[in-house]
Amino acid sequence: MKRNAWLWIEWSALFWALPLLLWLAGRGFPKFVPLVLGTVFITVYLVRSPRFDNRRFFARENARVFFRGLLWKVPVVFAFLMILTRFIAAEQWFAFPRRHPLIWVMVMLLYPVFSAFPQEIIYRAFYCHRYRALFPGPAWLLLSNALCFAFVHVAYGNLVGPLLTFPAGFLFARTYTRHRSVLLAAVEHGVYGALVFTVGLGSYFFHGRMAG
């Protein structure tokens, strides 16, 4: 009971209080700092934890099934994002690759490795490993994970980020728990993130108006 009480406090501090502090800190605070520090400390914790299977970092179990599923999900997500962009940010319609093609290529190459993969270590591997016992079943674990993943995006000061990342977080958590792989969850995360930046919604997930 005492352990669960501490875990609830820790969970609340990391996934609810910290995002609020980042939001209060405003645009001047570099949001990559907590991501880098968190990834380092959490990776060390997971590697040293006897109950965590380190093969999960780069596991490719049932990768063929994963990629088959991705083949039909990506066009659906892409179509949805294009329609959404036309409604809420028509002036940014594919503006990033059109106006800054070299920076766009860099983002396409670097985002999956230096943003998506670290986020999956924290929000999928660490979250599911450490806080699984707090929830009565897999469905509640996935729902709580998606909510926490959405809430961290309040740090960017808009509603579009959290609203988009809630269903995305649920998909990433489902991929991680189904395939037991940070790598595959990060691939999915990286692909959808690349689509977001490409269609013109990147400014909702990044403080700089890269497409402007």
Side-chain angles (χ1 to χ4, degrees):
M1 186 66 179
K2 288 183 179 179
R3 171 175 168 77
N4 276 1
W6 165 250
L7 284 177
W8 278 118
I9 294 171
E10 180 183 291
W11 175 81
S12 301
L14 289 177
F15 297 105
W16 297 95
L18 181 58
L20 277 177
L21 290 175
L22 293 174
W23 173 67
L24 291 172
R27 291 175 176 259
F29 184 81
K31 302 300 187 294
F32 68 88
V33 172
L35 177 62
V36 172
L37 293 178
T39 302
V40 171
F41 284 109
I42 284 171
T43 300
V44 172
Y45 163 79
L46 290 173
V47 168
R48 293 171 60 90
S49 175
R51 295 182 295 112
F52 182 78
D53 185 353
N54 292 325
R55 289 174 297 182
R56 289 194 174 200
F57 284 114
F58 297 103
R60 296 182 298 277
E61 183 179 348
N62 295 322
R64 188 173 299 177
V65 174
F66 164 76
F67 283 108
R68 278 205 302 264
L70 206 59
L71 282 177
W72 70 262
K73 285 190 286 186
V74 167
V76 172
V77 171
F78 195 27
F80 169 75
L81 292 174
M82 286 192 293
I83 294 169
L84 181 65
T85 305
R86 294 294 290 181
F87 273 100
I88 69 173
E91 75 284 357
Q92 297 299 329
W93 175 262
F94 289 93
F96 188 23
R98 285 190 289 105
R99 299 174 187 172
H100 308 288
L102 293 180
I103 300 176
W104 174 77
V105 170
M106 289 179 60
V107 170
M108 296 302 100
L109 294 174
L110 299 179
Y111 175 81
V113 177
F114 294 103
S115 184
F117 195 84
Q119 288 181 62
E120 292 308 305
I121 290 175
I122 296 171
Y123 273 88
R124 255 53 74 178
F126 173 69
Y127 189 101
C128 294
H129 172 71
R130 187 156 178 84
Y131 304 109
R132 182 184 300 272
L134 297 180
F135 303 97
W140 286 104
L141 178 68
L142 297 184
L143 178 61
S144 70
N145 185 269
L147 284 170
C148 289
F149 186 64
F151 188 71
V152 73
H153 290 84
V154 302
Y156 294 107
N158 65 78
L159 287 177
V160 174
L163 289 175
L164 279 180
T165 49
F166 174 72
F170 190 89
L171 288 175
F172 304 155
R174 187 169 178 267
T175 294
Y176 174 75
T177 56
R178 171 177 287 187
H179 298 282
R180 302 171 183 267
S181 172
V182 175
L183 176 63
L184 296 184
V187 168
E188 187 170 30
H189 187 158
V191 169
Y192 295 164
L195 296 181
V196 164
F197 281 100
T198 299
V199 298
L201 297 175
S203 58
Y204 293 103
F205 299 86
F206 184 80
H207 284 321
R209 294 288 293 185
M210 295 192 305

